[in-house]
């Protein structure tokens, strides 16, 4: 009888376990398959003939080679520079008092969505932007010149925008891994060999950080090479990146255009696999002893120049980050701002009232999706980690499962999944969108939540069991009570991720659900800077308010725990 109950219990646990796997992998599987089939000319109930003609046509599109190369170039360049800058900053400040301050500053910095940085850069470098206004003081012109500065043909502004966002991300993740690395011992070993701070960090500390940072690097690399929202604002247009070419074909109503979009999404998937392969080969080369000797010789001779240039560039990026926010805020309260004045001629807060009058639904949708998505992500993670413990499964293989959506181009998944949902008449747009958003929220909450959950002191649980406490009491009052601070932080990070999502809303919402991210792209196309700035500031403020609430709650929780 007891064995039968245990067997039934284990069967139920495995059913829940595989249900979660299905929840995560079914959109990925059906998304990829529903991208592959239309790319071969197969449409349910329309055409069942498979052909490679669409691939031939896609590869012969004007400028498609440049689009693919541009995407690869942007992905590699922004990732490498962000990674190097993050380690340079750590090597400079790790042993200073500012390190503790940096850890607190990074959360607000990563809270700002990617798209807000793109909008800030457009406010700075467009033909009538702030940079040109500054130039007008020196060159004395009173009309915006046609400089053709923004956007550039090489994706440099897109790279700049990505670096502004990815450097704080790498810093935050690296700081999280420092506690498991003997930083002082290895760093001072390098210093004993008369290396500079940066070289000591790069050769003796960074290799240990990179082992744990590798998945985050691949996520950033893939995201940078396939980013959509920032590309719409910052990427060149003739031709643009592969993601924008896919979007352009998707927006056309013909089935032929959808087949070409599907072909390009599969080509993008192949190019991403190629990028990752090249990165792995690059890892092997950099680990070669002869390469390290050459690198050490080069850095040793040119160290001061290279290190100082990178450090100045880091300071420039921080200043640019702050200026972006300030310019966006100024535009949001501008009533009249004539060229070439450096500050608004008249200011007013009526822009906010006008925006809310016409876009309140987008604001409320953003809050609703972020709240529900973050909460459900946490519920799924708690269930998942409890199931792994109950079924005594190994963590190592299962750790990577939630990262899979971030390790694939989102357009390959979203384009196909959109087609799959429409073909099968899944009309509940809110549920469909929530499902997809959870897939992109979970990886970030898992990074924060899982380690804290695994490191709960088991002695507390044993004490609770000795008092005959039931499972739910142990779970909610002991386990979750001990990491309540981390739960709130995970919820806050999930909320921030949801607020910044654009592609899932565009492809799965099908124009029926609008959010702030979607409104920012629409307003960017309309050229209305005041409404655009209001939407941008709101998208910055919401994550900041969430982090402030978390900070205040964490103080109360810490006081209560003491």
């Amino acid at each position: 009888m007891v064995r039968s109950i245990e067997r039934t219990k284990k069967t139920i646990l495995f059913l829940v376990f595989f249900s979660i796997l299905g929840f995560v992998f079914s959109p990925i599987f059906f998304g990829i398959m529903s991208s592959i089939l239309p790319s071969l000319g197969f449409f349910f109930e329309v055409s069942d003939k498979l052909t490679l003609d669409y691939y031939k046509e896609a590869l012969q599109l004007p400028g498609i080679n440049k689009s693919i190369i541009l995407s690869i170039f942007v992905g590699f360049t922004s990732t490498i520079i962000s990674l190097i800058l993050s380690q340079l900053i750590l090597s400079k400040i790790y042993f200073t008092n500012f390190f503790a301050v940096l850890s607190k500053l990074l959360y607000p910095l990563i809270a700002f969505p990617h798209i807000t940085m793109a909008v800030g850069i457009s406010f700075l470098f467009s033909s009538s932007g702030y940079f040109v206004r500054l130039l007008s003081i020196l060159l004395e012109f009173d009309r915006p010149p046609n400089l053709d500065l923004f956007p550039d043909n090489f994706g440099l502004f897109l790279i700049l925008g990505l670096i502004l966002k990815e450097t704080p991300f790498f810093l935050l993740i690296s700081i999280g891994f420092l506690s498991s690395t003997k930083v002082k011992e290895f760093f001072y070993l390098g210093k004993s060999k008369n290396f500079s701070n940066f070289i000591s960090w790069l050769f003796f500390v960074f290799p240990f950080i990179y082992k744990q940072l590798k998945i985050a690097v691949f996520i950033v690399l893939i995201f940078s090479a396939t980013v959509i929202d920032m590309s719409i604002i910052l990427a060149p247009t003739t031709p643009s990146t592969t993601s924008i070419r896919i979007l352009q074909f998707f927006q056309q109503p013909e089935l032929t255009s959808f087949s070409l979009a599907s072909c390009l999404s599969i080509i993008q998937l192949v190019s991403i696999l190629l990028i990752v392969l090249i990165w792995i080969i690059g890892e092997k080369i950099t680990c070669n002893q002869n390469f390290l000797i050459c690198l050490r010789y080069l850095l040793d001779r040119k160290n001061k120049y290279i290190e100082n240039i990178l450090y100045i560039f880091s300071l420039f990026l921080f200043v640019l980050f702050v200026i972006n926010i300030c310019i966006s805020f100024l535009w949001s309260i501008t009533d009249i701002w004539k060229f070439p004045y450096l500050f608004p001629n008249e200011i007013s807060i009526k822009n906010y009232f006008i925006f809310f009058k016409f876009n309140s639904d987008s604001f409320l949708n953003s809050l609703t999706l972020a709240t529900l998505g973050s909460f459900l992500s946490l519920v799924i993670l708690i269930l998942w980690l409890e199931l792994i413990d109950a079924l005594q499964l190994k963590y190592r293989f299962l750790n990577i499962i939630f990262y899979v959506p971030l390790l694939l181009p989102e357009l390959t998944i979203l384009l196909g999944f959109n087609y799959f949902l429409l073909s099968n008449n899944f009309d509940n747009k809110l549920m469909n969108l929530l499902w997809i958003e959870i897939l992109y929220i979970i990886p970030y909450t898992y990074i924060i939540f899982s380690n804290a959950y695994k490191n709960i002191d088991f002695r507390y649980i044993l004490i609770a069991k000795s008092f005959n406490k039931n499972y739910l009491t142990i779970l909610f009052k002991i386990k979750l009570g001990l990491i309540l601070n981390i739960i709130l932080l995970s919820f806050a990070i999930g909320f921030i991720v949801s607020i910044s999502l654009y592609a899932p809303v565009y492809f799965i919402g099908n124009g029926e659900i609008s959010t702030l991210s979607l409104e920012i792209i629409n307003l960017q196309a309309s050229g209305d800077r005041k409404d655009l700035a209001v939407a941008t500031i709101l998208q910055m403020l919401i994550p900041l308010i969430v982090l402030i609430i978390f900070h205040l709650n964490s103080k109360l929780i810490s006081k209560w725990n003491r």
Side-chain angles (χ1 to χ4, degrees):
M1 183 68 179
V2 175
R3 285 184 180 179
S4 177
I5 293 170
E6 285 294 321
R7 197 178 297 116
T8 305
K9 181 182 173 183
K10 203 164 188 178
T11 303
I12 293 168
L13 291 176
F14 268 112
L15 282 173
V16 177
F17 176 81
F18 285 113
S19 297
I20 295 174
L21 281 180
F23 181 87
V24 173
F25 280 106
S26 54
I28 297 169
F29 174 77
F30 290 116
I32 292 173
M33 289 305 299
S34 297
S35 288
I36 292 172
L37 292 176
S39 73
L40 296 170
F42 182 92
F43 290 93
F44 297 103
E45 299 179 2
V46 176
S47 171
D48 57 0
K49 185 181 178 182
L50 301 180
T51 176
L52 292 173
D53 290 346
Y54 291 113
Y55 279 99
K56 294 175 185 176
E57 189 177 343
L59 291 170
Q60 291 172 359
L61 290 169
I64 190 62
N65 291 336
K66 186 181 176 183
S67 294
I68 295 169
I69 292 167
L70 178 66
S71 299
I72 293 172
F73 172 70
V74 167
F76 267 119
T77 308
S78 60
T79 304
I80 291 169
I81 294 174
S82 300
L83 191 60
I84 291 171
L85 289 178
S86 67
Q87 301 311 308
L88 173 72
I89 293 166
L90 280 177
S91 70
K92 286 282 186 182
I93 66 166
Y94 182 73
F95 296 100
T96 66
N97 294 330
F98 185 70
F99 180 72
V101 179
L102 177 71
S103 303
K104 294 175 182 177
L105 274 176
L106 285 173
Y107 282 108
L109 290 179
I110 66 164
F112 298 132
H114 287 79
I115 198 169
T116 59
M117 286 298 103
V119 171
I121 290 171
S122 72
F123 284 158
L124 274 174
F125 296 104
S126 60
S127 58
S128 60
Y130 206 78
F131 176 71
V132 179
R133 290 169 188 264
L134 289 171
L135 282 179
S136 69
I137 298 171
L138 300 173
L139 303 177
E140 297 181 352
F141 47 76
D142 55 1
R143 291 175 182 272
N146 187 15
L147 293 178
D148 198 24
L149 177 68
F150 175 88
D152 66 291
N153 291 326
F154 303 100
L156 299 180
F157 281 110
L158 179 55
I159 291 168
L160 178 62
L162 287 164
I163 291 170
L164 281 172
K165 277 299 299 172
E166 304 306 352
T167 304
F169 176 73
F170 277 137
L171 270 170
L172 186 66
I173 300 296
S174 297
I175 287 170
F177 293 139
L178 288 178
S179 58
S180 58
T181 307
K182 295 178 180 178
V183 178
K184 285 186 179 179
E185 289 88 336
F186 291 119
F187 182 80
Y188 284 114
L189 178 62
K191 293 292 287 182
S192 69
K193 305 291 183 183
N194 295 321
F195 290 134
S196 68
N197 286 2
F198 180 52
I199 303 303
S200 299
W201 189 278
L202 193 65
F203 279 89
F204 293 89
V205 179
F206 177 62
F208 296 96
I209 298 173
Y210 184 77
K211 282 182 181 179
Q212 303 172 80
L213 196 65
K214 192 177 285 189
I215 289 180
V217 170
F218 286 142
I219 289 170
V220 170
L221 179 65
I222 293 165
F223 174 83
S224 300
T226 61
V227 64
I228 304 169
D229 47 4
M230 292 186 82
S231 296
I232 293 172
I233 299 172
L234 300 178
T237 54
T238 52
S240 192
T241 59
T242 312
S243 295
I244 302 303
R245 302 295 292 272
I246 294 168
L247 189 64
Q248 289 167 349
F249 279 110
F250 175 77
Q251 290 169 339
Q252 298 174 23
E254 300 88 0
L255 284 179
T256 303
S257 298
F258 188 83
S259 290
L260 287 172
S262 300
C263 287
L264 289 177
S265 72
I266 300 302
I267 290 168
Q268 188 180 57
L269 176 61
V270 173
S271 68
I272 287 302
L273 294 174
L274 179 65
I275 288 171
V276 173
L277 181 63
I278 292 169
W279 188 277
I280 292 169
I281 292 169
E283 284 180 5
K284 302 294 182 187
I285 293 170
T286 53
C287 290
N288 183 274
Q289 189 175 357
N290 293 328
F291 177 85
L292 288 173
I293 291 169
C294 292
L295 183 64
R296 180 220 158 171
Y297 178 76
L298 174 68
L299 291 174
D300 203 32
R301 292 196 62 181
K302 304 290 184 182
N303 175 45
K304 284 186 179 179
Y305 301 108
I306 294 171
E307 195 170 327
N308 290 336
I309 288 168
L310 288 173
Y311 192 61
I312 290 166
F313 185 59
S314 302
L315 293 174
F316 164 75
L317 288 178
F318 180 75
V319 171
L320 190 63
F321 197 105
V322 175
I323 292 172
N324 276 352
I325 297 166
C326 294
I327 298 298
S328 297
F329 176 71
L330 284 175
W331 270 110
S332 74
I333 59 169
T334 292
D335 191 21
I336 299 172
W337 193 350
K338 295 178 181 178
F339 189 90
Y341 296 106
L342 295 181
F343 296 98
N345 303 89
E346 294 180 25
I347 62 172
S348 170
I349 61 167
K350 69 178 183 182
N351 298 333
Y352 286 89
F353 294 107
I354 294 170
F355 181 84
F356 274 109
K357 182 180 179 180
F358 295 103
N359 300 288
S360 57
D361 286 348
S362 299
F363 181 76
L364 292 173
N365 285 341
S366 296
L367 294 180
T368 303
L369 287 166
T371 305
L372 290 174
S374 301
F375 174 75
L376 291 173
S377 297
L378 277 173
V379 171
I380 291 167
L381 282 180
I382 292 166
L383 269 174
W384 178 260
L385 293 168
E386 283 293 301
L387 283 168
I388 288 175
D389 276 343
L391 296 170
Q392 297 180 343
L393 300 172
K394 291 182 179 179
Y395 281 110
R396 185 171 293 180
F397 165 72
L398 298 171
N399 274 345
I400 202 170
I401 283 173
F402 291 119
Y403 298 119
V404 172
L406 300 183
L407 295 171
L408 293 168
E410 57 183 346
L411 279 182
T412 307
I413 298 171
L414 296 175
L415 193 73
F417 196 57
N418 168 274
Y419 173 66
F420 172 78
L421 293 172
L422 291 174
S423 302
N424 292 279
N425 296 318
F426 291 112
D427 294 328
N428 194 324
K429 296 292 187 296
L430 180 63
M431 294 304 295
N432 295 340
L433 181 54
L434 191 60
W435 185 3
I436 286 294
E437 284 214 357
I438 288 170
L439 294 190
Y440 288 98
I441 293 170
I442 280 183
Y444 296 99
T445 52
Y446 184 77
I447 290 171
I448 297 163
F449 185 79
S450 61
N451 285 332
Y453 201 84
K454 292 169 192 173
N455 293 327
I456 291 173
D457 195 334
F458 193 72
R459 289 173 297 179
Y460 290 109
I461 299 166
L462 291 176
I463 292 167
K465 286 180 177 178
S466 69
F467 285 101
N468 293 321
K469 298 293 181 182
N470 61 41
Y471 171 77
L472 291 177
T473 303
I474 292 171
L475 176 63
F476 287 102
K477 289 191 175 181
I478 307 297
K479 286 186 175 180
L480 301 186
L482 287 169
I483 57 167
L484 187 55
N485 226 352
I486 298 298
I487 291 173
L488 292 175
L489 177 60
S490 301
F491 180 87
I493 295 299
F495 196 98
I496 291 165
V497 170
S498 176
I499 287 289
S500 66
L501 290 175
Y502 168 76
V505 180
Y506 183 85
F507 284 92
I508 307 302
N510 269 336
E512 294 182 25
I513 298 174
S514 181
T515 62
L516 285 174
S517 294
L518 212 60
E519 286 302 328
I520 287 173
I521 295 296
N522 294 337
L523 290 166
Q524 173 71 22
S526 72
D528 188 339
R529 289 189 178 183
K530 290 185 279 189
D531 279 350
L532 176 60
V534 170
T536 303
I537 290 297
L538 287 174
Q539 207 181 28
M540 290 182 193
L541 278 177
I542 293 169
L544 275 179
I545 291 167
V546 169
L547 284 175
I548 289 167
I549 292 170
F550 158 72
H551 182 67
L552 294 174
N553 280 333
S554 66
K555 280 190 172 182
L556 289 172
I557 291 163
S558 298
K559 187 177 179 182
W560 177 76
N561 282 337
R562 285 199 297 270

